[in-house]
Amino acid sequence: MNENTLKDLWKSYNEKLELSLSYGRKNAEDITQMKVQNFISSMKPVKIFTILVGLLWVGILGTAVTNLFIHAFSEANHFFLFSAAIQVTLTAIALVIYIYQLVLIYQVDISEPILETQEKLIKLKSSSLLVARILLLQLPVWTTFYWNDSMLANGNIFLLITQGKVTLTFTFVAVWLFFNIKIENKDKKWFRFLFGASEWQPVISSMNLINQMGEFKNG
Amino acid sequence: MINEKNLRQQFQEIIEKHKGILFKVAHIYCRDDEDRQDLIQEIKIQIWRSLHKYNDKYKMTTWLYRISLNVAISFYRKNAGKKANTIPLDEQISRISEVDNSYKEHQLQLLDQFINELNDFDKALMLLYLEEKSHAEIADILGISVSNVSTKAGRIKNKLKKRFSNES
């Protein structure tokens, strides 16, 4: 088959397929009425919901913990207080990074050349892993917030050892995940298991695009 | 207010005049009708979002291909594993080629299959090549050198020839 025959084939292919596809759901006029030119209105509802829940959590828990620190530090259970403070701080950091990433993704100029734009998008999407790493760091404090002085002084030694083992395990897992959740490990089984959920698919797919991009760039 | 009105009118004219680009990109990247409609919609939204930033040092088609292909590649990755390839090839082709003779139908099917097997970036290159864009414009759209475009286009053409000669 020569080049011209191929291009003729392509033309006829498109003409026929065009007939089979009704053109768009909304017409151009409807789109100009949509408020897509600002950050918030361009976001998907699920992302807005995630941010709102995060803000509520950090706002309520943050206020409560701060009040306890200021007004009732001596009477409060210190295990709860420090566990909650660590939890809310890590959540706040993750939330700020998440919002910052969304803003950066929104600001990417999609009319730049394909490779350049895709590279930026992949880097930004992959950095969502940082949010997961930070959130996972709070694992140990979920095993310490209910401790209290009397439990340590009078508790059953067997239960205390078990409790200690659980906390140490959670700490080890959290630190290990913090250092090992990275693009280089994207093909490892544990990584696939951890990020197998559908909401992580865009991130994982973006990472898979890296190899394709490298090959394409280098000829 | 006048600017906003002009922008709206300009947008509508662009979409009307160049809808073929949107359609072809959607066709190459999505196998599923529903996904195609969604992708075309998303491309239109991104064109509207970017229109005020349009720089006329670029050809309008170059600008539109960049947006369409960038959205398509991101969209395709987003939907990969969800609904990709939900419509079998032969079913899709038969829907559009009922009146065609079987030889042409077979050729179309081969072309479709070939494009579908390419990776995201080669698909973009293939589309631009079939649309008879110059190597310089392809390089500008993709962001690679002209010599790289020539090498890659040559390779794809050879593969394509091989495929058609094996099957005919």
Side-chain angles (χ1 to χ4, degrees), chain A residues 135-152:
Chain A
L135 287 174
L136 283 165
L137 265 187
Q138 52 176 265
L139 272 178
V141 300
W142 290 96
T143 70
T144 56
F145 74 93
Y146 48 85
W147 290 12
N148 56 57
D149 293 339
S150 133
M151 174 184 136
L152 292 181

Side-chain angles (χ1 to χ4, degrees), chain B residues 1 6 10 26 32 40 48 65 87 91-92 103 112 120 126 131 144:
Chain B
M1 202 62 190
N6 284 346
Q10 197 188 347
D32 178 76
I40 289 173
W48 171 239
Y65 269 116
I87 294 189
E91 185 189 318
Q92 192 182 118
Y103 176 72
D112 189 74
D120 292 351
M126 181 75 189
E131 286 296 305
I144 55 176

Side-chain angles (χ1 to χ4, degrees), chain A residues 70-155:
Chain A
I70 296 169
H71 304 294
F73 185 74
S74 51
E75 303 97 73
N77 175 356
H78 290 175
F79 290 104
F80 173 81
L81 201 54
F82 284 101
S83 299
I86 292 171
Q87 201 281 333
V88 81
T89 307
L90 289 172
T91 307
I93 294 170
L95 194 61
V96 169
I97 295 173
Y98 182 64
I99 295 171
Y100 182 59
Q101 280 169 350
L102 289 179
V103 172
L104 289 181
I105 289 174
Y106 172 78
Q107 285 174 342
V108 167
D109 186 354
I110 204 137
S111 64
E112 291 291 312
I114 314 300
L115 281 191
E116 196 183 308
T117 311
Q118 291 303 319
E119 200 163 12
K120 274 184 208 160
L121 285 172
I122 289 169
K123 274 186 191 158
L124 286 169
K125 285 183 187 168
S126 304
S127 63
S128 306
L129 292 179
L130 178 60
V131 175
R133 290 164 64 198
I134 290 171
L135 287 174
L136 283 165
L137 265 187
Q138 52 176 265
L139 272 178
V141 300
W142 290 96
T143 70
T144 56
F145 74 93
Y146 48 85
W147 290 12
N148 56 57
D149 293 339
S150 133
M151 174 184 136
L152 292 181
N154 314 311

Side-chain angles (χ1 to χ4, degrees), chain A residues 139-141 143-144 147 160-176:
Chain A
L139 272 178
V141 300
T143 70
T144 56
W147 290 12
L160 286 177
I161 290 172
T162 308
Q163 176 64 65
K165 279 182 183 170
V166 170
T167 302
L168 278 176
T169 308
F170 273 57
T171 307
F172 173 78
V173 170
V175 173
W176 189 86

